[in-house]
Amino acid sequence: MDFVSEIVKKVIEKKPYSCIDERFVLKIASKIKSNDDEERIKLIRAKLRKISTSMLPLSFYRKFEKINFSEDTFKMHKSVKERLGIYPWLVSEIKRRGNSVVDLGCGFNLLALKHFGFVPKYYIGYDVDCAVVKFVERFAKENKINAEIFCSDISDIGLGEGDVYLCLKLFDALEDYEYGTTKKILEVIREKTNHIIASFSTKSMGGKKTLKERQWFEIILNELKMGFVKEKKGNEIFYFIDL
């Protein structure tokens, strides 16, 4: 086993990181340089927290395979919980655009969509957190929802086709992972769908800092000649890109 792989093995020893796609952790590890192994492990985990693991309590990872579903289960996911007052409006916007959904960085969105009265005819979700993937897979199966959920780094896979692509609070994380990834993903997506709904948070992770609007994202959309309408709801800015 090579040195980077050994570092990855140590990174995922902790429970919140143990279910993240190892290929993704390996990519992160290869980008972070430090002569101190412990410092490097801390930096890798810090990067993963920003991208993936900060949305769920530690208790979820300890018992996710045994958690029973209820009407409030989806509220465990921080990002989904923050969107509670927005989902009815968001569901109506999705339904206006189609019945099949591809969800990048899906988290617990499927649970929330069902809670607010929308079960897609077909749903494809992607997430780098395999615990989330297994959890949502079980939810879909128990509720007889036609869905496929993949544990994978979306920058490395062939994406499915759907009426609507959801990219909620996704692109900041992609750019933090690797500059320029957003444009590459959008170039792929526009061949797979007619409608993209993207969003960005207007608050920092702790909620104390107001974040600037993402002019860099609008520049990319203009470069790709992808027209958009944007609307602010709660602590989130939504971009509706109808191709």
Side-chain angles (χ1 to χ4, degrees):
M1 186 178 288
D2 63 30
F3 174 70
V4 176
S5 296
E6 286 287 354
I7 291 290
V8 169
K9 186 177 179 180
K10 291 180 181 179
V11 167
I12 64 177
E13 283 176 350
K14 279 198 173 182
K15 202 67 174 176
Y17 311 97
S18 62
C19 294
I20 298 178
D21 179 25
E22 285 192 33
R23 293 166 299 176
F24 183 67
V25 181
L26 187 60
K27 281 187 176 182
I28 297 293
S30 66
K31 294 174 183 292
I32 294 178
K33 311 299 180 185
S34 175
N35 293 325
D36 185 302
D37 289 357
E38 291 303 315
E39 178 66 17
R40 193 175 186 189
I41 289 168
K42 287 180 181 179
L43 291 171
I44 294 166
R45 285 176 177 162
K47 180 74 75 172
L48 291 171
R49 282 196 299 274
K50 290 179 70 175
I51 295 172
S52 175
T53 63
S54 61
M55 295 293 109
L56 286 159
L58 181 59
S59 59
F60 170 78
Y61 294 95
R62 290 176 177 150
K63 58 180 181 179
F64 70 89
E65 292 174 321
K66 298 180 180 178
I67 295 173
N68 294 320
F69 298 110
S70 71
E71 283 295 300
D72 293 326
T73 303
F74 69 98
K75 294 180 184 177
M76 283 191 295
H77 195 284
K78 182 179 177 182
S79 187
V80 169
K81 187 176 181 179
E82 289 175 348
R83 202 178 284 129
L84 283 178
I86 297 173
Y87 270 112
W89 165 80
L90 180 59
V91 163
S92 68
E93 292 292 337
I94 296 170
K95 289 169 71 173
R96 279 201 310 116
R97 290 167 170 83
N99 292 316
S100 59
V101 173
V102 180
D103 194 350
L104 305 187
C106 61
F108 283 9
N109 277 327
L110 182 60
L111 281 70
L113 293 178
K114 184 180 184 300
H115 178 85
F116 288 101
F118 176 51
V119 177
K121 183 178 179 180
Y122 185 59
Y123 178 92
I124 304 174
Y126 299 92
D127 205 289
V128 294
D129 190 330
C130 296
V132 168
V133 168
K134 290 177 182 178
F135 191 70
V136 177
E137 277 183 328
R138 180 159 61 89
F139 173 81
K141 185 176 181 179
E142 289 188 16
N143 287 275
K144 298 181 180 179
I145 298 172
N146 188 14
E148 288 185 284
I149 322 294
F150 299 96
C151 182
S152 187
D153 167 17
I154 62 171
S155 67
D156 238 7
I157 58 177
L159 298 174
E161 295 186 359
D163 296 331
V164 184
Y165 255 74
L166 295 182
C167 307
L168 306 181
K169 295 183 180 180
L170 172 75
F171 292 124
D172 277 339
L174 282 182
E175 289 302 303
D176 194 55
Y177 161 59
E178 184 175 357
Y179 178 75
T181 304
T182 297
K183 187 173 183 179
K184 293 175 185 176
I185 294 295
L186 284 172
E187 288 174 325
V188 173
I189 291 175
R190 66 178 175 185
E191 303 300 323
K192 305 287 186 179
T193 188
N194 291 320
H195 306 284
I196 303 168
I197 301 176
S199 76
F200 295 86
S201 178
T202 62
K203 294 288 184 181
S204 62
M205 202 167 290
K208 296 180 180 179
K209 184 179 178 182
T210 300
L211 301 177
K212 296 179 180 179
E213 293 198 23
R214 308 319 195 271
Q215 291 186 344
W216 62 267
F217 183 64
E218 296 183 17
I219 290 171
I220 290 172
L221 293 178
N222 288 328
E223 287 176 352
L224 295 175
K225 296 181 171 54
M226 299 170 76
F228 63 89
V229 173
K230 67 178 179 178
E231 188 165 349
K232 186 177 183 298
K233 290 283 185 179
N235 293 327
E236 219 164 333
I237 297 174
F238 289 84
Y239 286 82
F240 296 94
I241 305 157
D242 299 310
L243 304 172

